[in-house]
Amino acid sequence: MAKVSSASKIIIWDECTMAHKRALEALNRTLKDLRNDSRCFGGVMILLSGDFRQTLPVIPRSTAADEINACLKSSNLWRYVKKLQLTTNMSVALLNDTSAEDFAEQLLTICNDQVPVDESSGLISFPNNFCNFVS
């Protein structure tokens, strides 16, 4: 594994948002050591992919503050990350289904906190075409 890691030009880390920041920091130290290179990650390009609106690191018996502190964004390495955003939902685009596209856009609206909240109840209202109810 050390030979493969030291010969790598790029490491792709999917669902990185669930990882503890110490895992990223350990990878940085390991690659620097294996490659005898003091640059960040020993000069290897690291491609992190994930969605911070999904699951953050799970820490048993922790508080929300503990989970946020364990998040990759809390690492001292985060300042070196160049952030890019994907804007096309490929599974929807490939299906060419307009109702699936509408549903995906509605989900993003909810995830991005762009749905108005009823102040008296604290609840949101779903659009009529959000889903089909069946008995």
Side-chain angles (χ1 to χ4, degrees), residues 43-75:
V44 175
M45 179 181 289
I46 307 295
L47 176 69
L48 303 171
S49 72
D51 187 347
F52 283 99
R53 294 173 296 198
Q54 294 178 354
T55 306
L56 292 177
V58 176
I59 303 170
R61 296 176 298 282
S62 66
T63 65
D66 293 333
E67 292 175 0
I68 291 170
N69 189 42
C71 179
L72 293 182
K73 287 184 173 184
S74 297
S75 172

Short mmCIF file of all heavy atoms in Angstrom, two decimals, residues 43-75:
data_model
loop_
_atom_site.label_atom_id
_atom_site.label_comp_id
_atom_site.label_asym_id
_atom_site.label_seq_id
_atom_site.Cartn_x
_atom_site.Cartn_y
_atom_site.Cartn_z
N GLY A 43 2.70 16.45 -2.24
CA GLY A 43 2.60 16.81 -3.64
C GLY A 43 1.53 16.04 -4.40
O GLY A 43 1.33 16.27 -5.60
N VAL A 44 0.83 15.13 -3.74
CA VAL A 44 -0.23 14.37 -4.40
C VAL A 44 -1.50 15.23 -4.42
O VAL A 44 -1.83 15.89 -3.44
CB VAL A 44 -0.51 13.05 -3.63
CG1 VAL A 44 -1.69 12.30 -4.23
CG2 VAL A 44 0.72 12.17 -3.60
N MET A 45 -2.21 15.20 -5.55
CA MET A 45 -3.49 15.90 -5.62
C MET A 45 -4.54 15.04 -4.93
O MET A 45 -4.63 13.84 -5.19
CB MET A 45 -3.90 16.15 -7.07
CG MET A 45 -5.25 16.85 -7.16
SD MET A 45 -5.79 17.12 -8.85
CE MET A 45 -4.64 18.39 -9.36
N ILE A 46 -5.31 15.65 -4.05
CA ILE A 46 -6.38 14.95 -3.35
C ILE A 46 -7.70 15.55 -3.84
O ILE A 46 -7.92 16.75 -3.75
CB ILE A 46 -6.28 15.14 -1.82
CG1 ILE A 46 -4.88 14.76 -1.31
CG2 ILE A 46 -7.36 14.34 -1.10
CD1 ILE A 46 -4.52 13.32 -1.47
N LEU A 47 -8.57 14.69 -4.38
CA LEU A 47 -9.89 15.11 -4.83
C LEU A 47 -10.90 14.63 -3.79
O LEU A 47 -11.11 13.43 -3.64
CB LEU A 47 -10.21 14.53 -6.21
CG LEU A 47 -11.60 14.83 -6.74
CD1 LEU A 47 -11.73 16.32 -7.07
CD2 LEU A 47 -11.91 13.99 -7.95
N LEU A 48 -11.45 15.56 -3.06
CA LEU A 48 -12.45 15.25 -2.05
C LEU A 48 -13.83 15.48 -2.65
O LEU A 48 -14.06 16.52 -3.27
CB LEU A 48 -12.28 16.16 -0.82
CG LEU A 48 -10.91 16.14 -0.14
CD1 LEU A 48 -10.83 17.25 0.89
CD2 LEU A 48 -10.65 14.79 0.47
N SER A 49 -14.73 14.53 -2.46
CA SER A 49 -16.09 14.75 -2.94
C SER A 49 -17.07 14.36 -1.85
O SER A 49 -16.87 13.40 -1.12
CB SER A 49 -16.35 13.95 -4.22
OG SER A 49 -16.47 12.58 -3.94
N GLY A 50 -18.11 15.16 -1.75
CA GLY A 50 -19.13 14.90 -0.74
C GLY A 50 -20.06 16.08 -0.61
O GLY A 50 -19.87 17.12 -1.25
N ASP A 51 -21.06 15.91 0.22
CA ASP A 51 -22.08 16.93 0.42
C ASP A 51 -22.22 17.18 1.91
O ASP A 51 -22.66 16.29 2.65
CB ASP A 51 -23.40 16.45 -0.18
CG ASP A 51 -24.48 17.50 -0.18
OD1 ASP A 51 -24.33 18.54 0.50
OD2 ASP A 51 -25.50 17.30 -0.87
N PHE A 52 -21.86 18.37 2.36
CA PHE A 52 -21.91 18.69 3.79
C PHE A 52 -23.34 18.81 4.32
O PHE A 52 -23.54 18.94 5.51
CB PHE A 52 -21.11 19.97 4.09
CG PHE A 52 -19.63 19.73 4.09
CD1 PHE A 52 -18.87 20.04 2.99
CD2 PHE A 52 -19.01 19.17 5.19
CE1 PHE A 52 -17.50 19.81 2.98
CE2 PHE A 52 -17.65 18.93 5.20
CZ PHE A 52 -16.89 19.25 4.10
N ARG A 53 -24.33 18.73 3.42
CA ARG A 53 -25.72 18.71 3.87
C ARG A 53 -26.13 17.29 4.27
O ARG A 53 -27.22 17.08 4.75
CB ARG A 53 -26.64 19.23 2.78
CG ARG A 53 -26.41 20.71 2.49
CD ARG A 53 -27.21 21.16 1.31
NE ARG A 53 -26.75 20.44 0.11
CZ ARG A 53 -27.00 20.83 -1.12
NH1 ARG A 53 -27.72 21.89 -1.34
NH2 ARG A 53 -26.56 20.15 -2.14
N GLN A 54 -25.23 16.34 4.03
CA GLN A 54 -25.53 14.96 4.39
C GLN A 54 -24.85 14.63 5.73
O GLN A 54 -24.65 15.52 6.55
CB GLN A 54 -25.08 14.02 3.28
CG GLN A 54 -25.89 14.22 2.02
CD GLN A 54 -25.43 13.33 0.88
OE1 GLN A 54 -24.43 12.64 0.96
NE2 GLN A 54 -26.18 13.35 -0.21
N THR A 55 -24.48 13.40 5.93
CA THR A 55 -23.96 12.94 7.22
C THR A 55 -22.57 13.49 7.51
O THR A 55 -21.65 13.32 6.71
CB THR A 55 -23.91 11.40 7.25
OG1 THR A 55 -25.20 10.91 6.91
CG2 THR A 55 -23.51 10.89 8.61
N LEU A 56 -22.42 14.11 8.66
CA LEU A 56 -21.11 14.55 9.15
C LEU A 56 -20.49 13.39 9.93
O LEU A 56 -21.14 12.36 10.13
CB LEU A 56 -21.28 15.77 10.05
CG LEU A 56 -21.74 17.05 9.34
CD1 LEU A 56 -21.95 18.17 10.35
CD2 LEU A 56 -20.74 17.47 8.29
N PRO A 57 -19.25 13.51 10.40
CA PRO A 57 -18.64 12.42 11.16
C PRO A 57 -19.52 12.03 12.35
O PRO A 57 -20.07 12.89 13.04
CB PRO A 57 -17.32 13.01 11.64
CG PRO A 57 -17.03 14.13 10.73
CD PRO A 57 -18.36 14.66 10.28
N VAL A 58 -19.66 10.74 12.56
CA VAL A 58 -20.44 10.23 13.68
C VAL A 58 -19.49 9.98 14.84
O VAL A 58 -18.52 9.22 14.70
CB VAL A 58 -21.19 8.93 13.30
CG1 VAL A 58 -21.92 8.36 14.50
CG2 VAL A 58 -22.14 9.20 12.15
N ILE A 59 -19.77 10.63 15.95
CA ILE A 59 -18.94 10.47 17.14
C ILE A 59 -19.87 10.03 18.27
O ILE A 59 -20.76 10.80 18.66
CB ILE A 59 -18.23 11.79 17.50
CG1 ILE A 59 -17.39 12.25 16.32
CG2 ILE A 59 -17.37 11.61 18.75
CD1 ILE A 59 -16.84 13.63 16.45
N PRO A 60 -19.70 8.80 18.76
CA PRO A 60 -20.60 8.32 19.82
C PRO A 60 -20.59 9.23 21.04
O PRO A 60 -19.56 9.77 21.44
CB PRO A 60 -20.02 6.94 20.17
CG PRO A 60 -19.22 6.55 18.97
CD PRO A 60 -18.70 7.82 18.37
N ARG A 61 -21.77 9.43 21.60
CA ARG A 61 -21.98 10.24 22.82
C ARG A 61 -21.39 11.64 22.69
O ARG A 61 -20.80 12.17 23.62
CB ARG A 61 -21.41 9.51 24.05
CG ARG A 61 -22.12 8.20 24.35
CD ARG A 61 -21.51 7.44 25.50
NE ARG A 61 -20.13 7.03 25.27
CZ ARG A 61 -19.74 6.00 24.54
NH1 ARG A 61 -20.63 5.28 23.92
NH2 ARG A 61 -18.47 5.69 24.41
N SER A 62 -21.55 12.23 21.51
CA SER A 62 -20.98 13.56 21.30
C SER A 62 -22.07 14.61 21.24
O SER A 62 -23.25 14.30 21.12
CB SER A 62 -20.19 13.58 19.99
OG SER A 62 -21.07 13.41 18.90
N THR A 63 -21.64 15.85 21.28
CA THR A 63 -22.55 16.97 21.09
C THR A 63 -22.44 17.43 19.64
O THR A 63 -21.53 17.02 18.91
CB THR A 63 -22.17 18.14 22.02
OG1 THR A 63 -20.87 18.62 21.62
CG2 THR A 63 -22.14 17.71 23.48
N ALA A 64 -23.35 18.32 19.25
CA ALA A 64 -23.28 18.88 17.90
C ALA A 64 -21.95 19.61 17.70
O ALA A 64 -21.35 19.57 16.62
CB ALA A 64 -24.46 19.81 17.66
N ALA A 65 -21.49 20.28 18.73
CA ALA A 65 -20.22 21.01 18.65
C ALA A 65 -19.06 20.04 18.40
O ALA A 65 -18.13 20.36 17.65
CB ALA A 65 -19.98 21.80 19.93
N ASP A 66 -19.10 18.85 19.03
CA ASP A 66 -18.04 17.86 18.81
C ASP A 66 -18.03 17.41 17.35
O ASP A 66 -16.96 17.24 16.76
CB ASP A 66 -18.26 16.63 19.70
CG ASP A 66 -18.09 16.92 21.18
OD1 ASP A 66 -17.33 17.84 21.52
OD2 ASP A 66 -18.73 16.22 21.99
N GLU A 67 -19.21 17.21 16.78
CA GLU A 67 -19.29 16.76 15.39
C GLU A 67 -18.80 17.84 14.44
O GLU A 67 -18.10 17.55 13.47
CB GLU A 67 -20.71 16.33 15.06
CG GLU A 67 -21.11 15.07 15.80
CD GLU A 67 -22.56 14.67 15.60
OE1 GLU A 67 -23.29 15.38 14.87
OE2 GLU A 67 -22.95 13.65 16.18
N ILE A 68 -19.14 19.07 14.71
CA ILE A 68 -18.68 20.17 13.85
C ILE A 68 -17.17 20.33 13.97
O ILE A 68 -16.47 20.54 12.98
CB ILE A 68 -19.41 21.48 14.19
CG1 ILE A 68 -20.88 21.36 13.76
CG2 ILE A 68 -18.74 22.69 13.55
CD1 ILE A 68 -21.78 22.46 14.23
N ASN A 69 -16.64 20.17 15.17
CA ASN A 69 -15.19 20.27 15.38
C ASN A 69 -14.44 19.13 14.70
O ASN A 69 -13.29 19.29 14.32
CB ASN A 69 -14.87 20.29 16.88
CG ASN A 69 -13.43 20.61 17.14
OD1 ASN A 69 -12.85 21.50 16.51
ND2 ASN A 69 -12.82 19.87 18.04
N ALA A 70 -15.09 17.98 14.53
CA ALA A 70 -14.46 16.83 13.86
C ALA A 70 -14.55 16.92 12.35
O ALA A 70 -13.86 16.19 11.64
CB ALA A 70 -15.12 15.54 14.35
N CYS A 71 -15.38 17.82 11.85
CA CYS A 71 -15.64 17.96 10.42
C CYS A 71 -14.37 18.42 9.67
O CYS A 71 -13.53 19.13 10.22
CB CYS A 71 -16.76 18.98 10.25
SG CYS A 71 -17.20 19.33 8.57
N LEU A 72 -14.27 18.02 8.42
CA LEU A 72 -13.10 18.41 7.61
C LEU A 72 -12.91 19.92 7.53
O LEU A 72 -11.79 20.41 7.47
CB LEU A 72 -13.23 17.86 6.19
CG LEU A 72 -13.16 16.35 6.00
CD1 LEU A 72 -13.25 16.01 4.52
CD2 LEU A 72 -11.91 15.77 6.61
N LYS A 73 -14.01 20.66 7.55
CA LYS A 73 -13.90 22.11 7.47
C LYS A 73 -13.21 22.71 8.69
O LYS A 73 -12.76 23.86 8.64
CB LYS A 73 -15.29 22.74 7.30
CG LYS A 73 -15.89 22.53 5.94
CD LYS A 73 -17.20 23.26 5.81
CE LYS A 73 -17.74 23.21 4.41
NZ LYS A 73 -18.97 23.99 4.27
N SER A 74 -13.11 21.95 9.77
CA SER A 74 -12.43 22.42 10.98
C SER A 74 -10.94 22.10 10.96
O SER A 74 -10.21 22.50 11.86
CB SER A 74 -13.06 21.80 12.23
OG SER A 74 -14.39 22.20 12.35
N SER A 75 -10.49 21.39 9.95
CA SER A 75 -9.07 21.03 9.85
C SER A 75 -8.26 22.23 9.40
O SER A 75 -8.72 23.06 8.62
CB SER A 75 -8.89 19.89 8.85
OG SER A 75 -7.52 19.67 8.60
#
